[in-house]
């Protein structure tokens, strides 16, 4: 089946609300020609979400958050709930990014709980997985990814997979300028789809959208997204400027 191409910008801890306003105003116009040709989203920080939702309402650019807590409410200082995100009109939420795993103690278990919470509140999870350089060099990539996938989706029903995107981000490629080659990324994406087949069956695995992330730029997006099992990208640095993000989307869809 033909899967949609999905390009999302992960703004990480960048852009004040004023800067978000300017960038979203620019993207609203520059990305308009790609309506219907690809799913496109931006994921700003919590303080910029309402601004992004307000400016992008009614456009083809969706808005996502960068984290969600698993509890409905309560004594969890510094966290944000699904109800809070849903209320302001957020559609996607990034879960388990390697920076959260590395710096904030995120585990496969917390990724699983956050994924279930997002689904409960009608938010679409973008679940991040990926191996470190030491794991790749130690031939551990497949074992690491399989553990992350099985952990993230434990108890998640097959039907929910239609709302879930997987972002494969090799940790060694994030912000380093080192991209996995299209062949290397494709081999890993095909492996991820095989694990999904084991877990949920061929039809669900075939329909699953799997993004690549890690130094995806306007110049390499086309070759990466042209691969059979690569369905788009989760973009860091190149998503912070309207011209580079727009060029990347254009190249990824081959427009
Ligand atoms: P870069 O595109 O800056 O390498 O970041 C990738 C990423 O971590 C997206 O979530």
């Amino acid at each position: 089946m033909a899967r949609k191409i999905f390009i999302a910008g992960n703004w990480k801890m960048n852009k004040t609300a004023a800067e978000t306003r300017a960038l979203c105003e620019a993207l609203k116009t520059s990305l308009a020609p790609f309506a219907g040709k690809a799913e496109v989203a931006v994921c700003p920080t919590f303080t910029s979400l309402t601004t992004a939702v307000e400016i992008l309402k009614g456009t083809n650019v969706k808005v996502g958050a960068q984290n969600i807590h698993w509890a409905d409410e309560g004594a969890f200082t510094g966290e944000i709930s699904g109800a809070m995100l849903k209320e302001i009109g957020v559609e996607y939420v990034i879960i388990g990014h390697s920076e959260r795993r590395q710096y904030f103690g995120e585990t496969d278990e917390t990724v699983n709980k956050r994924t279930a919470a997002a689904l409960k509140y009608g938010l679409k999870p973008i679940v991040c997985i990926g191996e470190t350089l030491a794991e790749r060099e130690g031939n551990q990539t497949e074992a690491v990814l399989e553990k992350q996938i099985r952990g993230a989706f434990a108890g998640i029903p097959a039907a929910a997979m239609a709302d879930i995107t997987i972002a494969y981000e090799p940790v060694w490629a994030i912000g380093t300028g080192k991209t996995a080659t299209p062949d290397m990324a494709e081999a890993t994406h095909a492996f991820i789809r095989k694990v999904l087949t084991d877990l949920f069956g061929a039809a669900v695995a075939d329909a699953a959208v799997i993004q690549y992330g890690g130094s995806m730029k306007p110049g390499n997006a086309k070759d990466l997204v042209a691969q059979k099992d690569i369905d788009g990208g989760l973009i860091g640095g190149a998503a912070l400027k309207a011209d580079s993000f727009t060029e990347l989307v254009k190249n990824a869809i081959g427009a």
Side-chain angles (χ1 to χ4, degrees), residues 8-12 94 97-99 126 128 167 169-178 211-217 233-240 248:
N10 173 10
W11 292 5
K12 309 191 179 184
I94 296 171
H97 190 278
S98 64
E99 286 147 19
I126 300 174
C128 302
E169 300 203 313
V171 178
W172 47 270
I174 296 175
T176 59
K178 284 188 206 162
Q211 296 173 323
Y212 169 82
S215 299
M216 195 189 270
K217 309 280 179 208
L234 185 57
I235 319 301
L240 296 175
L248 193 157

Side-chain angles (χ1 to χ4, degrees), residues 186-198:
E186 167 58 22
T188 310
H189 278 236
F191 172 77
I192 293 166
R193 213 176 287 287
K194 182 173 154 289
V195 176
L196 293 176
T197 305
D198 289 350

